[in-house]
Amino acid sequence: MDSASERVAEEAAWIHRIGQGDKAALQLLYQRYAPRIFRFVIRMMKDEAKAEELVNDVMMEIWKSAAGFEGRSSPSTWILGIARFRTLNAVRGKKLDTVELTQAPEAVDEAEDASAAKSHEQLRALLRQSIARLSDEHREVVELTFFHDCSYKEIAEILQCPENTVKTRMYHAKAKLKPWLKNLGLADAELGGVT
């Protein structure tokens, strides 16, 4: 079993234990997912305190709903689906106002050397600036793909839409991103397949 499938199995086991009322399993899941949920939520909210509150709301929803988790999707897909639903409910009745992606916290890869990290961060900042210009629908699929490593199938489950809709949105997002990124002087090879 590879590390990714081991991680999924471990998280599914935690959710099962949470469904049985195991608070220690909830704490483990919280430690792993709170930063990721926060990054996901803060991109749709300008209010950092509200985003932190939503992280707690998501974890409470996981606590209440874990017994119903059937494992038809990966734990991360299920959790990000809850996060998206709770966030959209929090902003219901208002235009979804997004924070600049450059302000969203990122995990730092300490294994990179300083120059490679600086270059990588500069590239990510330029990408975020371009992604911020996309429509909400297009930005959502790009972020879930490239910042949360979700597959199209997982994104379809999170967004509750057909997988082909996700593919179409990604196609249009890439088409819009390509000229913007070229204007910033980014070659296709530097984009890791984004365009």
Side-chain angles (χ1 to χ4, degrees):
M1 191 178 342
D2 68 1
S3 63
S5 56
E6 287 172 353
R7 183 179 172 125
V8 168
E10 180 179 51
E11 292 168 358
W14 290 345
I15 293 170
H16 177 72
R17 287 173 37 206
I18 292 166
Q20 296 174 336
D22 187 336
K23 291 180 183 176
L26 181 65
Q27 182 62 31
L28 292 169
L29 196 72
Y30 181 88
Q31 289 171 353
R32 183 170 289 173
Y33 273 91
R36 186 172 178 187
I37 294 168
F38 181 82
R39 287 190 310 270
F40 182 75
V41 169
I42 196 68
R43 290 185 170 129
M44 293 186 273
M45 309 283 297
K46 283 192 176 195
D47 186 342
E48 197 169 305
K50 185 65 176 171
E52 289 174 5
E53 184 180 318
L54 278 166
V55 170
N56 291 328
D57 288 350
V58 169
M59 296 312 292
M60 184 57 74
E61 185 64 32
I62 290 168
W63 176 256
K64 291 189 289 188
S65 304
F69 177 69
E70 298 174 355
R72 287 185 284 175
S73 62
S74 71
S76 65
T77 300
W78 183 68
I79 292 167
L80 290 176
I82 292 171
R84 180 177 186 269
F85 179 76
R86 299 296 268 180
T87 303
L88 291 176
N89 278 346
V91 295
R92 186 172 286 166
K94 303 179 198 173
K95 182 183 181 307
L96 193 60
D97 208 359
T98 57
V99 69
E100 283 295 318
L101 292 174
T102 56
Q103 296 173 4
E106 280 290 327
V108 177
D109 183 357
E110 295 175 15
E112 293 181 340
D113 66 79
S115 65
K118 183 178 179 185
S119 174
H120 181 71
E121 189 52 41
Q122 288 172 338
L123 176 61
R124 289 181 75 99
L126 290 172
L127 279 171
R128 285 189 202 111
Q129 289 171 2
S130 295
I131 291 168
R133 296 172 62 185
L134 294 172
S135 70
D136 291 340
E137 290 177 341
H138 293 152
R139 183 174 47 251
E140 210 166 29
V141 297
V142 170
E143 287 179 359
L144 286 168
T145 300
F146 296 104
F147 294 107
H148 294 279
D149 297 321
C150 293
S151 68
Y152 287 163
K153 181 179 180 194
E154 290 171 324
I155 295 169
E157 290 175 33
I158 291 167
L159 302 182
Q160 298 178 348
C161 68
E163 190 173 340
N164 282 338
T165 300
V166 172
K167 290 176 183 177
T168 300
R169 289 178 185 173
M170 181 59 80
Y171 173 81
H172 290 293
K174 285 180 178 182
K176 288 179 181 179
L177 281 172
K178 192 170 188 171
W180 296 340
L181 295 174
K182 282 188 177 187
N183 285 338
L184 291 172
L186 298 175
D188 289 345
E190 295 174 327
L191 300 176
V194 173
T195 57

